[in-house]
């Protein structure tokens, strides 16, 4: 999947651990830990989850989700 999930990067930039983020979002610590360890967008990412992460990390959705095109997937326009 060409959409990268950058939660771990943002947490590191803000020097925030999963326990602190769990407290700020209201998510269970295990949930935050699982999300932190993902490298691709979670398959079932709800808008409310994205909203809470953005609110806690003071970021935009585009900071958490980044489109990275795969090689050999060129779009041809005739």
């Amino acid at each position: 999947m060409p959409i990268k999930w950058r939660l771990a990067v943002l947490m590191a930039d803000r020097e925030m651990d999963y326990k602190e983020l769990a407290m700020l979002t209201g998510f269970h610590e295990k949930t935050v830990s699982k999300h932190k360890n993902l490298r691709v967008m979670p398959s079932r990412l709800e808008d409310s989850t994205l909203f809470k992460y953005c609110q806690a990390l003071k970021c935009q959705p585009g900071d958490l989700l980044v489109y990275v095109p795969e090689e050999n997937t060129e779009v041809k326009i005739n």
Side-chain angles (χ1 to χ4, degrees), residues 8-20:
V9 174
L10 267 66
M11 289 173 66
D13 287 348
R14 287 152 177 75
E15 299 178 355
M16 186 179 297
D17 67 8
Y18 72 95
K19 290 180 180 182
E20 183 179 356

Side-chain angles (χ1 to χ4, degrees), residues 8-65:
V9 174
L10 267 66
M11 289 173 66
D13 287 348
R14 287 152 177 75
E15 299 178 355
M16 186 179 297
D17 67 8
Y18 72 95
K19 290 180 180 182
E20 183 179 356
L21 188 54
M23 185 183 69
L24 291 171
T25 59
F27 295 138
H28 194 278
E29 290 178 8
K30 287 184 181 182
T31 301
V32 173
S33 180
K34 286 180 185 178
H35 283 163
K36 177 184 178 246
N37 292 319
L38 292 174
R39 297 294 174 242
V40 296
M41 185 178 90
S43 59
R44 295 178 59 186
L45 181 64
E46 295 186 18
D47 60 343
S48 60
T49 301
L50 190 58
F51 176 80
K52 288 179 182 181
Y53 280 137
C54 288
Q55 198 172 35
L57 294 166
K58 296 179 177 62
C59 68
Q60 294 294 314
D63 298 328
L64 286 166
L65 302 168

